Amino acid sequence: MEMIGAGTSETRIIGIHGMGGIGKTTAAKMIYNKLSHDFDIVAFFKIFEKHQKVMAFNTYKLSSSLTSSKQNGYKDIHEGTQMIKDRLSNKRVLFLLDDVEQANHIDALVGKRDWLGKGSKIIITTRKKDILEVPEVDYSYELSAMDVDQSLQLFSKHAFRKDYPLDKYIGQSKRAIGIAGGLPLALEIIGSLLCHTKRKCGISH
């Protein structure tokens, strides 16, 4: 937060990388939502490789004149690039580029720093660390898997609505977190599934 804070006058590009399900998007959205009120224009871009389409979601101060009529979508990377060059130049913007898989997506949507107003911020999430190893990216951070204690606590909150399972469920819980491998999303899903089958495992409200 300190490196990308809205109070800094430099244009900065920050990357978050890590394996799928580790919580990259969740972490990036927390930063994005906290900072969004301090920028002229904000947009959350999701890239769909299968359809070669760039989508802008959850726009905050992005007026309808800056987006297409079809769910704020752009038919390809080049259209998104042209929109940024033509309409967002000299604006102080906050962009979140989620789940970037190719380096050319960063080039297309971020382009040259002089496209954007001073103090603009870009947040990028990706599974591929090497995508962030370019001069354009100022800082990159890796999200790692949760340790055993963190995993047990997160799993227990979803499975038992408690910070720690009852003694009779310790063995079952440890097997579950072993399967999840420290991935927050997997822990939440397995815990929620267990909670929904509480009658079978003898869990009561």
Side-chain angles (χ1 to χ4, degrees):
M1 281 295 295
E2 204 172 305
M3 293 298 181
I4 200 170
T8 60
S9 59
E10 298 87 358
T11 297
R12 286 181 176 169
I13 302 175
I14 306 296
I16 301 173
H17 65 92
M19 66 180 76
I22 202 67
K24 301 182 296 295
T25 299
T26 299
K29 280 185 176 179
M30 288 176 63
I31 299 171
Y32 173 86
N33 290 332
K34 187 174 180 63
L35 298 180
S36 61
H37 294 276
D38 296 314
F39 291 83
D40 299 323
I41 295 171
V42 306
F44 169 26
F45 290 93
K46 181 78 175 180
I47 299 170
F48 293 89
E49 273 297 324
K50 184 176 180 181
H51 303 291
Q52 296 186 339
K53 198 167 191 176
V54 182
M55 303 291 287
F57 297 107
N58 196 28
T59 56
Y60 175 61
K61 282 181 275 191
L62 192 57
S63 70
S64 59
S65 64
L66 298 180
T67 61
S68 76
S69 59
K70 296 182 179 180
Q71 297 182 339
N72 296 343
Y74 308 100
K75 66 182 181 182
D76 55 33
I77 289 289
H78 299 295
E79 184 177 338
T81 302
Q82 196 60 46
M83 183 277 291
I84 293 172
K85 290 177 68 175
D86 292 346
R87 305 177 185 179
L88 304 186
S89 61
N90 300 318
K91 299 288 186 181
R92 192 165 179 269
V93 307
L94 171 65
F95 285 165
L96 169 52
L97 313 184
D98 188 42
D99 204 20
V100 174
E101 292 297 313
Q102 295 184 28
N104 69 320
H105 291 161
I106 296 178
D107 293 336
L109 288 173
V110 175
K112 306 296 183 182
R113 286 176 186 252
D114 57 10
W115 288 4
L116 308 173
K118 186 177 181 182
S120 293
K121 314 297 179 188
I122 312 295
I123 307 168
I124 301 165
T125 71
T126 181
R127 298 184 186 189
K128 300 178 180 180
K129 180 181 179 181
D130 60 302
I131 285 179
L132 302 174
E133 295 176 342
V134 293
E136 292 79 10
V137 177
D138 297 298
Y139 306 97
S140 65
Y141 303 91
E142 180 177 12
L143 287 187
S144 56
M146 303 178 81
D147 62 29
V148 173
D149 290 337
Q150 293 171 326
S151 295
L152 188 59
Q153 184 177 30
L154 180 60
F155 172 78
S156 298
K157 283 183 177 179
H158 287 272
F160 311 114
R161 302 298 185 258
K162 299 177 182 294
D163 287 338
Y164 199 81
L166 297 174
D167 289 344
K168 61 181 178 179
Y169 298 125
I170 287 292
Q172 185 181 32
S173 298
K174 288 185 175 180
R175 287 195 296 274
I177 65 174
I179 293 171
L183 296 179
L185 181 59
L187 289 162
E188 292 175 11
I189 291 173
I190 296 172
S192 296
L193 287 174
L194 180 59
C195 182
H196 291 153
T197 58
K198 55 186 176 293
R199 291 181 180 176
K200 294 182 181 179
C201 59
I203 303 171
S204 60
H205 289 293

